[in-house]
Amino acid sequence: MAKKAKYIFDFRTLSVKEERTSKKEIFKKIFSFVSAIIVLFTMAVFFTVHILESPEERRLRRDLEQARFQYSQLDRRIEFLSQVLMDIQTRDENLYRIIFEAEPPTRNPLLLGGETHELFRENSMADVIINTSVRIDDLMTRMYSQSISFDDVYEMARNREAMLASMPAILPVNLHRTRLVSGFGPRIDPIFRTRRMHQGVDFAGPLNTPIYATGSGVVTISGSAPRGYGGYGTMVKIDHGFGFQTLYGHLNRVNVRVGQRVNRGDVIGFMGTTGRSVGVHLHYEVWRHGERVNPVFFFFQDITPEEYLEILERASEVNQMMS
C-alpha cells in the first residue's frame, strides 16, 4: 500500500504543495523520542530504588526502629540501676564504714569484658551497642566490688549489735498510711517560693498518724521547739548514741518525756501541722556527729527492696517541701 502524501498550504506562494520531511528533522524526532525514553527509565529506576521499599526493607526498617527504642529503654534502666548502686556505695562509704571506723572500700577500676567490644564494630548500631556494653560492664564491676565490701561490713557488724540497735534504721511512719512527699536537698520553700536546703524528709499522712522512734535512745527534747529549733512546732529529738540523733517535727502531740529511754519502734508522738507548716506531715531528720545527713540512707530494716526503690525515686524529685 502506497504511503499517502501530506500537503500543506504555502502562504508565501498561495499554493498547495507536498510536505517533505528532511533527514535532519527525522533525526531530531528520533533523538527526542529516545531521550524521553531514557529520562523516563531513569526516573522509574530512581523512584523504585530510593522511594519504594520492598517488603524486606520495610521489615528491616521496623526492626531497626524497634531495636533503637528498646536500647533507649535499656539505657534508662541502666541509668536508674547505676543511681541505685551509687546510693548503696554512698551509704557504704559514709555510713557503715564510719560506724565501724573502717577505711573506705577499695574499688576495682578494671572493666569486665572490655576486650569483646570490638566484636560489635561491624554492626550498623555499633556505637549504641558498645556504649551500652561499656555501661553494663561498669555496673557489673561496681556491683562485684560492692558485694565484696558488704562481706567485710557483715563481719564488722557481727559484734556491734548494740550500735546497730541504736542506729536509726527504720521508717518513722507506717508506709501504708503515709507518703514521702519531699526529700533531702535543695527544695522549693512553700511560703517564699524560693529554693533552699531541706535538711530532712517530709512524710504526709492523716492527722494523728503514729510516729515511731527509728532507733533506741534517750529523749532530749519533747514538746514545743526550743530556741534554735524555730519552725518545728511540737517536736521530739532522740539521742541514740554513737554520734546519731533524730528529730521529729510538726507533731500534733508527743507521747514521751525528756530523759525517757525509748526502743526502736516505740510510738513517740502523733503527726500534725504545728509550727511553720503548710499541711499535716512529719519532718524527719537524721544527725551524724552534729551534721544533718540524708535520712533515706537509713531506711533499710523494715521495707522491701521495691519499697526502698520507690522511696528513693520520690526523694530524688525536686519539688516543694511542706515546712
Side-chain angles (χ1 to χ4, degrees), residues 12 79 103 148 206 227 254:
R12 289 179 300 176
E79 180 63 26
E103 294 295 324
I148 294 176
R227 180 174 298 180
V254 298

Side-chain angles (χ1 to χ4, degrees), residues 49-63:
V49 173
H50 296 281
I51 298 179
L52 291 182
E53 287 184 329
S54 66
E56 180 66 16
E57 288 174 331
R58 285 196 295 270
R59 185 187 66 80
L60 291 175
R61 181 171 56 81
R62 286 196 300 266
D63 290 347

Side-chain angles (χ1 to χ4, degrees), residues 109-157:
L110 180 64
L111 290 179
L112 302 176
E115 67 279 359
T116 65
H117 296 158
E118 293 302 320
L119 298 177
F120 303 117
R121 283 296 177 191
E122 300 301 322
N123 193 291
S124 60
M125 296 180 60
D127 293 339
V128 176
I129 296 175
I130 291 175
N131 177 63
T132 303
S133 298
V134 169
R135 295 173 66 188
I136 291 176
D137 291 343
D138 175 65
L139 195 60
M140 291 172 58
T141 302
R142 290 162 58 195
M143 290 177 63
Y144 176 73
S145 298
Q146 191 59 50
S147 174
I148 294 176
S149 176
F150 276 155
D151 289 340
D152 296 338
V153 171
Y154 173 75
E155 292 299 323
M156 289 184 284

Side-chain angles (χ1 to χ4, degrees), residues 66-247:
Q66 185 177 19
R68 291 187 184 279
F69 174 75
Q70 290 171 344
Y71 270 107
S72 68
Q73 296 301 307
L74 182 61
D75 274 345
R76 292 180 58 186
R77 295 173 64 183
I78 292 174
E79 180 63 26
F80 180 69
L81 290 175
S82 180
Q83 291 295 328
V84 171
L85 182 56
M86 185 180 297
D87 172 66
I88 293 174
Q89 290 175 334
T90 300
R91 291 166 61 185
D92 184 14
E93 296 176 7
N94 298 289
L95 175 60
Y96 307 132
R97 296 283 168 165
I98 293 176
I99 291 173
F100 300 120
E101 300 177 352
E103 294 295 324
T106 301
R107 304 295 182 188
N108 186 357
L110 180 64
L111 290 179
L112 302 176
E115 67 279 359
T116 65
H117 296 158
E118 293 302 320
L119 298 177
F120 303 117
R121 283 296 177 191
E122 300 301 322
N123 193 291
S124 60
M125 296 180 60
D127 293 339
V128 176
I129 296 175
I130 291 175
N131 177 63
T132 303
S133 298
V134 169
R135 295 173 66 188
I136 291 176
D137 291 343
D138 175 65
L139 195 60
M140 291 172 58
T141 302
R142 290 162 58 195
M143 290 177 63
Y144 176 73
S145 298
Q146 191 59 50
S147 174
I148 294 176
S149 176
F150 276 155
D151 289 340
D152 296 338
V153 171
Y154 173 75
E155 292 299 323
M156 289 184 284
R158 293 177 64 181
N159 299 320
R160 307 296 289 270
E161 292 184 3
M163 178 183 293
L164 293 176
S166 300
M167 186 191 314
I170 66 172
L171 289 166
V173 292
N174 186 326
L175 194 59
H176 300 292
R177 299 185 59 190
T178 60
R179 183 176 185 271
L180 192 148
V181 293
S182 184
F184 183 90
R187 296 294 185 271
I188 306 300
D189 188 288
I191 297 177
F192 299 105
R193 302 296 180 182
T194 58
R195 287 174 68 117
R196 67 176 175 87
M197 184 65 183
H198 191 216
Q199 302 285 10
V201 294
D202 291 340
F203 290 92
L207 184 67
N208 288 325
T209 297
I211 307 300
Y212 306 101
T214 56
S216 301
V218 177
V219 177
T220 58
I221 299 175
S222 179
S224 299
R227 180 174 298 180
Y229 293 88
Y232 287 111
T234 301
M235 60 170 285
V236 171
K237 190 172 185 181
I238 301 174
D239 186 348
H240 303 276
F242 306 100
F244 286 104
Q245 295 175 309
T246 53
L247 183 150

